[in-house]
Amino acid sequence: DYKALLVGYTQPPQPQGPVVMQGAKPGEVEFTNPFQDAVEFTIQVDNPCFTVGSRTIRIDGKKASKIVISFKSDKKQRGCLIINAPQVSTPWKYFLEGSP
């Protein structure tokens, strides 16, 4: 029998984007669950001009799901999509950019 000490290093999720939305065409973010088990994620946006269909999404382990973001405003706006999970202290962030 052999024994070895394994040391790992991870980084917290890094901000991504921008996800660009033009007019009434919605934007999409493909989000992958990095965990082995199914997890329920909470989704929020920091600008009321951007909306998501559901505030929570359950994704099976190591699977991806599309999050659709709608934009409604008469002028250019920026915002942030924030995805949280109970297991992590740092949320995933996607910058958003919408124009009419």
Side-chain angles (χ1 to χ4, degrees):
D1 284 321
Y2 293 98
K3 291 185 180 183
L5 175 64
L6 295 178
V7 178
Y9 174 75
T10 62
Q11 291 186 353
Q14 300 299 308
Q16 297 185 31
V19 177
V20 179
M21 285 154 269
Q22 295 277 355
K25 186 178 177 187
E28 288 184 348
V29 169
E30 186 160 325
F31 181 75
T32 302
N33 177 359
F35 305 108
Q36 294 291 335
D37 299 321
V39 175
E40 187 162 310
F41 295 91
T42 58
I43 304 167
Q44 61 187 33
V45 288
D46 67 352
N47 183 330
C49 293
F50 298 95
T51 56
V52 291
S54 176
R55 296 284 180 168
T56 61
I57 187 170
R58 185 171 180 81
I59 305 174
D60 291 332
K62 301 293 182 181
K63 301 287 183 190
S65 183
K66 288 186 181 177
I67 299 170
V68 178
I69 306 119
S70 300
F71 172 72
K72 188 172 185 179
S73 179
D74 57 352
K75 62 181 181 174
K76 190 172 183 175
Q77 297 281 334
R78 291 187 177 166
C80 188
L81 173 72
I82 303 164
I83 304 170
N84 278 304
Q87 298 92 325
V88 295
S89 58
T90 305
W92 289 266
K93 292 184 177 185
Y94 293 84
F95 293 111
L96 307 173
E97 194 171 286
S99 59

